[in-house]
Amino acid sequence: MDAQLTIGGVIALYIFLLAVFTGYEVIARVPAILHTPLMSGSNFVHGIVVVGALYALLDAHSVVGMAIGFIGVLLGSANVAGAYVVTERMLQMFKPSDRKPG
């Protein structure tokens, strides 16, 4: 049974490292002018993180698990709120100004 947990842990670590590397490579190749629209369009990913953290929190049976789940929900929610603030500021930049040319 311990061998299965070890193999499962190695596979999970491999998938995590692959996701980190892939994410870094994708974001590093995006031009600076596209970063804000790209992050704005990925708000749904932050929502998925919150759902996953809620699931981890509700499935936790120890104080450490509950703390990790709570921190995940807290950070995921802050990420969602921040993404919408950035999106709103970005959209404000493209609205016409009310100033008259002078």
PDB file of all heavy atoms in Angstrom, residues 36-37 40 43 81-95:
ATOM      1  N   THR A  36      -2.498  42.000 -19.636  1.00  0.00           N
ATOM      2  CA  THR A  36      -3.728  42.359 -18.925  1.00  0.00           C
ATOM      3  C   THR A  36      -4.949  41.705 -19.551  1.00  0.00           C
ATOM      4  O   THR A  36      -5.754  41.109 -18.832  1.00  0.00           O
ATOM      5  CB  THR A  36      -3.893  43.890 -18.874  1.00  0.00           C
ATOM      6  OG1 THR A  36      -2.739  44.446 -18.242  1.00  0.00           O
ATOM      7  CG2 THR A  36      -5.118  44.270 -18.089  1.00  0.00           C
ATOM      8  N   PRO A  37      -5.138  41.749 -20.880  1.00  0.00           N
ATOM      9  CA  PRO A  37      -6.298  41.035 -21.436  1.00  0.00           C
ATOM     10  C   PRO A  37      -6.218  39.526 -21.209  1.00  0.00           C
ATOM     11  O   PRO A  37      -7.241  38.884 -20.973  1.00  0.00           O
ATOM     12  CB  PRO A  37      -6.230  41.352 -22.933  1.00  0.00           C
ATOM     13  CG  PRO A  37      -5.436  42.590 -23.041  1.00  0.00           C
ATOM     14  CD  PRO A  37      -4.465  42.551 -21.895  1.00  0.00           C
ATOM     15  N   SER A  40      -7.193  38.952 -17.658  1.00  0.00           N
ATOM     16  CA  SER A  40      -8.607  39.245 -17.540  1.00  0.00           C
ATOM     17  C   SER A  40      -9.446  38.093 -18.075  1.00  0.00           C
ATOM     18  O   SER A  40     -10.454  37.705 -17.481  1.00  0.00           O
ATOM     19  CB  SER A  40      -8.927  40.524 -18.321  1.00  0.00           C
ATOM     20  OG  SER A  40     -10.303  40.708 -18.419  1.00  0.00           O
ATOM     21  N   ASN A  43     -10.049  34.782 -15.735  1.00  0.00           N
ATOM     22  CA  ASN A  43     -10.732  34.861 -14.446  1.00  0.00           C
ATOM     23  C   ASN A  43     -11.437  33.559 -14.096  1.00  0.00           C
ATOM     24  O   ASN A  43     -11.565  33.213 -12.925  1.00  0.00           O
ATOM     25  CB  ASN A  43     -11.751  36.001 -14.443  1.00  0.00           C
ATOM     26  CG  ASN A  43     -11.088  37.345 -14.306  1.00  0.00           C
ATOM     27  OD1 ASN A  43      -9.952  37.439 -13.869  1.00  0.00           O
ATOM     28  ND2 ASN A  43     -11.790  38.378 -14.682  1.00  0.00           N
ATOM     29  N   ALA A  81     -11.102  38.609  -7.006  1.00  0.00           N
ATOM     30  CA  ALA A  81     -11.459  40.022  -6.822  1.00  0.00           C
ATOM     31  C   ALA A  81     -10.426  40.934  -7.491  1.00  0.00           C
ATOM     32  O   ALA A  81     -10.789  41.898  -8.176  1.00  0.00           O
ATOM     33  CB  ALA A  81     -11.573  40.335  -5.338  1.00  0.00           C
ATOM     34  N   GLY A  82      -9.154  40.628  -7.315  1.00  0.00           N
ATOM     35  CA  GLY A  82      -8.103  41.442  -7.935  1.00  0.00           C
ATOM     36  C   GLY A  82      -8.156  41.407  -9.453  1.00  0.00           C
ATOM     37  O   GLY A  82      -7.932  42.416 -10.118  1.00  0.00           O
ATOM     38  N   ALA A  83      -8.482  40.246 -10.006  1.00  0.00           N
ATOM     39  CA  ALA A  83      -8.564  40.135 -11.463  1.00  0.00           C
ATOM     40  C   ALA A  83      -9.689  41.010 -12.006  1.00  0.00           C
ATOM     41  O   ALA A  83      -9.535  41.649 -13.053  1.00  0.00           O
ATOM     42  CB  ALA A  83      -8.780  38.680 -11.863  1.00  0.00           C
ATOM     43  N   TYR A  84     -10.811  41.053 -11.296  1.00  0.00           N
ATOM     44  CA  TYR A  84     -11.905  41.904 -11.770  1.00  0.00           C
ATOM     45  C   TYR A  84     -11.588  43.386 -11.603  1.00  0.00           C
ATOM     46  O   TYR A  84     -11.992  44.212 -12.429  1.00  0.00           O
ATOM     47  CB  TYR A  84     -13.212  41.535 -11.072  1.00  0.00           C
ATOM     48  CG  TYR A  84     -13.819  40.294 -11.670  1.00  0.00           C
ATOM     49  CD1 TYR A  84     -13.830  39.101 -10.976  1.00  0.00           C
ATOM     50  CD2 TYR A  84     -14.353  40.309 -12.945  1.00  0.00           C
ATOM     51  CE1 TYR A  84     -14.363  37.945 -11.533  1.00  0.00           C
ATOM     52  CE2 TYR A  84     -14.887  39.169 -13.515  1.00  0.00           C
ATOM     53  CZ  TYR A  84     -14.894  37.991 -12.803  1.00  0.00           C
ATOM     54  OH  TYR A  84     -15.415  36.862 -13.364  1.00  0.00           O
ATOM     55  N   VAL A  85     -10.847  43.753 -10.569  1.00  0.00           N
ATOM     56  CA  VAL A  85     -10.429  45.153 -10.405  1.00  0.00           C
ATOM     57  C   VAL A  85      -9.508  45.550 -11.548  1.00  0.00           C
ATOM     58  O   VAL A  85      -9.657  46.623 -12.139  1.00  0.00           O
ATOM     59  CB  VAL A  85      -9.746  45.357  -9.037  1.00  0.00           C
ATOM     60  CG1 VAL A  85      -9.055  46.708  -8.957  1.00  0.00           C
ATOM     61  CG2 VAL A  85     -10.759  45.214  -7.917  1.00  0.00           C
ATOM     62  N   VAL A  86      -8.552  44.689 -11.883  1.00  0.00           N
ATOM     63  CA  VAL A  86      -7.633  44.978 -12.991  1.00  0.00           C
ATOM     64  C   VAL A  86      -8.404  45.079 -14.303  1.00  0.00           C
ATOM     65  O   VAL A  86      -8.147  45.967 -15.119  1.00  0.00           O
ATOM     66  CB  VAL A  86      -6.535  43.891 -13.075  1.00  0.00           C
ATOM     67  CG1 VAL A  86      -5.763  43.986 -14.370  1.00  0.00           C
ATOM     68  CG2 VAL A  86      -5.609  44.005 -11.891  1.00  0.00           C
ATOM     69  N   THR A  87      -9.368  44.197 -14.514  1.00  0.00           N
ATOM     70  CA  THR A  87     -10.168  44.240 -15.732  1.00  0.00           C
ATOM     71  C   THR A  87     -10.935  45.553 -15.838  1.00  0.00           C
ATOM     72  O   THR A  87     -10.983  46.181 -16.899  1.00  0.00           O
ATOM     73  CB  THR A  87     -11.166  43.063 -15.762  1.00  0.00           C
ATOM     74  OG1 THR A  87     -10.427  41.848 -15.705  1.00  0.00           O
ATOM     75  CG2 THR A  87     -12.008  43.088 -17.022  1.00  0.00           C
ATOM     76  N   GLU A  88     -11.522  45.983 -14.725  1.00  0.00           N
ATOM     77  CA  GLU A  88     -12.282  47.242 -14.728  1.00  0.00           C
ATOM     78  C   GLU A  88     -11.370  48.426 -15.040  1.00  0.00           C
ATOM     79  O   GLU A  88     -11.726  49.303 -15.820  1.00  0.00           O
ATOM     80  CB  GLU A  88     -12.965  47.434 -13.372  1.00  0.00           C
ATOM     81  CG  GLU A  88     -13.847  48.644 -13.309  1.00  0.00           C
ATOM     82  CD  GLU A  88     -15.009  48.594 -14.293  1.00  0.00           C
ATOM     83  OE1 GLU A  88     -15.496  47.500 -14.607  1.00  0.00           O
ATOM     84  OE2 GLU A  88     -15.432  49.666 -14.769  1.00  0.00           O
ATOM     85  N   ARG A  89     -10.187  48.438 -14.455  1.00  0.00           N
ATOM     86  CA  ARG A  89      -9.243  49.530 -14.745  1.00  0.00           C
ATOM     87  C   ARG A  89      -8.811  49.501 -16.200  1.00  0.00           C
ATOM     88  O   ARG A  89      -8.654  50.542 -16.836  1.00  0.00           O
ATOM     89  CB  ARG A  89      -8.032  49.439 -13.828  1.00  0.00           C
ATOM     90  CG  ARG A  89      -8.369  49.824 -12.404  1.00  0.00           C
ATOM     91  CD  ARG A  89      -7.175  50.038 -11.584  1.00  0.00           C
ATOM     92  NE  ARG A  89      -6.437  51.195 -12.081  1.00  0.00           N
ATOM     93  CZ  ARG A  89      -5.310  51.610 -11.568  1.00  0.00           C
ATOM     94  NH1 ARG A  89      -4.779  50.979 -10.564  1.00  0.00           N
ATOM     95  NH2 ARG A  89      -4.694  52.649 -12.058  1.00  0.00           N
ATOM     96  N   MET A  90      -8.611  48.308 -16.735  1.00  0.00           N
ATOM     97  CA  MET A  90      -8.209  48.200 -18.126  1.00  0.00           C
ATOM     98  C   MET A  90      -9.316  48.733 -19.041  1.00  0.00           C
ATOM     99  O   MET A  90      -9.051  49.472 -19.990  1.00  0.00           O
ATOM    100  CB  MET A  90      -7.900  46.751 -18.481  1.00  0.00           C
ATOM    101  CG  MET A  90      -7.473  46.556 -19.921  1.00  0.00           C
ATOM    102  SD  MET A  90      -7.401  44.841 -20.412  1.00  0.00           S
ATOM    103  CE  MET A  90      -9.109  44.390 -20.404  1.00  0.00           C
ATOM    104  N   LEU A  91     -10.550  48.377 -18.739  1.00  0.00           N
ATOM    105  CA  LEU A  91     -11.656  48.844 -19.571  1.00  0.00           C
ATOM    106  C   LEU A  91     -11.850  50.351 -19.462  1.00  0.00           C
ATOM    107  O   LEU A  91     -12.272  50.993 -20.424  1.00  0.00           O
ATOM    108  CB  LEU A  91     -12.941  48.109 -19.180  1.00  0.00           C
ATOM    109  CG  LEU A  91     -12.962  46.619 -19.520  1.00  0.00           C
ATOM    110  CD1 LEU A  91     -14.224  45.970 -18.970  1.00  0.00           C
ATOM    111  CD2 LEU A  91     -12.859  46.404 -21.013  1.00  0.00           C
ATOM    112  N   GLN A  92     -11.539  50.940 -18.297  1.00  0.00           N
ATOM    113  CA  GLN A  92     -11.636  52.389 -18.145  1.00  0.00           C
ATOM    114  C   GLN A  92     -10.649  53.119 -19.060  1.00  0.00           C
ATOM    115  O   GLN A  92     -10.912  54.229 -19.498  1.00  0.00           O
ATOM    116  CB  GLN A  92     -11.382  52.793 -16.687  1.00  0.00           C
ATOM    117  CG  GLN A  92     -12.466  52.375 -15.727  1.00  0.00           C
ATOM    118  CD  GLN A  92     -13.785  53.048 -16.022  1.00  0.00           C
ATOM    119  OE1 GLN A  92     -13.823  54.222 -16.401  1.00  0.00           O
ATOM    120  NE2 GLN A  92     -14.873  52.309 -15.871  1.00  0.00           N
ATOM    121  N   MET A  93      -9.534  52.489 -19.360  1.00  0.00           N
ATOM    122  CA  MET A  93      -8.535  53.116 -20.234  1.00  0.00           C
ATOM    123  C   MET A  93      -9.049  53.266 -21.656  1.00  0.00           C
ATOM    124  O   MET A  93      -8.604  54.144 -22.388  1.00  0.00           O
ATOM    125  CB  MET A  93      -7.250  52.292 -20.256  1.00  0.00           C
ATOM    126  CG  MET A  93      -6.518  52.293 -18.959  1.00  0.00           C
ATOM    127  SD  MET A  93      -4.928  51.426 -18.936  1.00  0.00           S
ATOM    128  CE  MET A  93      -4.928  50.366 -20.328  1.00  0.00           C
ATOM    129  N   PHE A  94      -9.983  52.446 -22.064  1.00  0.00           N
ATOM    130  CA  PHE A  94     -10.457  52.471 -23.439  1.00  0.00           C
ATOM    131  C   PHE A  94     -11.741  53.269 -23.621  1.00  0.00           C
ATOM    132  O   PHE A  94     -12.241  53.388 -24.730  1.00  0.00           O
ATOM    133  CB  PHE A  94     -10.654  51.047 -23.952  1.00  0.00           C
ATOM    134  CG  PHE A  94      -9.375  50.290 -24.056  1.00  0.00           C
ATOM    135  CD1 PHE A  94      -9.062  49.296 -23.143  1.00  0.00           C
ATOM    136  CD2 PHE A  94      -8.448  50.593 -25.037  1.00  0.00           C
ATOM    137  CE1 PHE A  94      -7.879  48.606 -23.222  1.00  0.00           C
ATOM    138  CE2 PHE A  94      -7.251  49.905 -25.130  1.00  0.00           C
ATOM    139  CZ  PHE A  94      -6.971  48.909 -24.218  1.00  0.00           C
ATOM    140  N   LYS A  95     -12.273  53.819 -22.550  1.00  0.00           N
ATOM    141  CA  LYS A  95     -13.466  54.666 -22.669  1.00  0.00           C
ATOM    142  C   LYS A  95     -13.055  56.054 -23.143  1.00  0.00           C
ATOM    143  O   LYS A  95     -11.997  56.564 -22.759  1.00  0.00           O
ATOM    144  CB  LYS A  95     -14.190  54.769 -21.325  1.00  0.00           C
ATOM    145  CG  LYS A  95     -14.914  53.503 -20.954  1.00  0.00           C
ATOM    146  CD  LYS A  95     -15.742  53.724 -19.726  1.00  0.00           C
ATOM    147  CE  LYS A  95     -16.528  52.459 -19.425  1.00  0.00           C
ATOM    148  NZ  LYS A  95     -17.314  52.598 -18.212  1.00  0.00           N
TER     149      LYS A  95
END
